[in-house]
Amino acid sequence: MPQIPVKVQELTVGQLSARSGVAVSALHFYEAKGLISSRRTPGNQRRYGRDTLRRVAFVRASQRVGMPLAAIRDALAELPDGRTPTREDWARLSEKWRAELDERIRRLERLRDHLTDCIGCGCLSMTTCGLSNPDDTIGARLTGSRLAPESRA
């Protein structure tokens, strides 16, 4: 992994890509989506602060656990712009996601524990399926093997 001299406070897109392991095109996409930001030089070249490395790492980790880009962007918007985020800044951010991550873990565990039965069963029953309709919440309103749009009458 290429080392960046400590005296270098800004990175080119190529340096950021090499150091983060993220393709230049993905970095441009992240910037377009408001996940990271850069400044432009007089020659119109992008320059990223060193703290962008941590932001890119956060984006990648968040994507791996299935967080939507909008949620990632909203979380990053709460970090300070004028300075490198501290450990406390990151701790506040992660605490806000704890409940959502816990719920994702519960859903993944349910999927893991029931997937074989569900695929083997093949019933697609919305009234009894523990994956598609946990606790039969839909069965109280609808019957049948698929969700029908609710009438607006």
Side-chain angles (χ1 to χ4, degrees):
M1 182 176 307
Q3 294 298 311
I4 301 167
V6 176
K7 66 181 179 178
V8 174
Q9 295 302 308
E10 292 186 316
L11 309 172
T12 66
V13 70
Q15 289 170 321
L16 182 60
S17 174
R19 184 82 167 114
S20 67
V22 175
V24 169
S25 59
L27 294 172
H28 290 169
F29 175 77
Y30 291 169
E31 191 168 356
K33 294 298 182 184
L35 302 170
I36 61 174
S37 62
S38 66
R39 73 168 188 87
R40 296 293 183 136
T41 67
N44 203 31
Q45 296 174 328
R46 290 177 169 93
R47 292 294 185 265
Y48 298 90
R50 290 177 66 95
D51 64 306
T52 305
L53 284 167
R54 285 197 177 103
R55 291 172 189 260
V56 170
F58 175 77
V59 170
R60 302 273 296 185
S62 300
Q63 286 181 304
R64 280 194 295 276
V65 297
M67 295 301 285
L69 288 179
I72 298 169
R73 183 185 57 243
D74 293 347
L76 288 171
E78 294 184 22
L79 292 175
D81 280 334
R83 64 174 170 80
T84 300
T86 64
R87 183 174 186 81
E88 292 76 24
D89 294 325
W90 288 108
R92 270 192 308 279
L93 187 152
S94 66
E95 185 59 34
K96 289 185 176 190
W97 275 8
R98 183 169 297 282
E100 184 170 350
L101 290 172
D102 287 344
E103 178 57 28
R104 284 176 180 270
I105 290 167
R106 280 190 289 279
R107 287 193 312 254
L108 286 169
E109 287 174 340
R110 185 172 37 237
L111 176 64
R112 178 201 62 209
D113 294 345
H114 298 286
L115 187 59
T116 301
D117 293 339
C118 186
I119 290 173
C121 162
C123 74
L124 300 177
S125 170
M126 293 306 293
T127 59
T128 60
C129 181
L131 291 176
S132 299
N133 184 22
D135 303 319
D136 195 23
T137 56
I138 300 170
R141 300 178 304 162
L142 302 169
T143 60
S145 62
R146 9 173 257 198
L147 286 175
E150 295 186 42
S151 67
R152 299 182 189 235

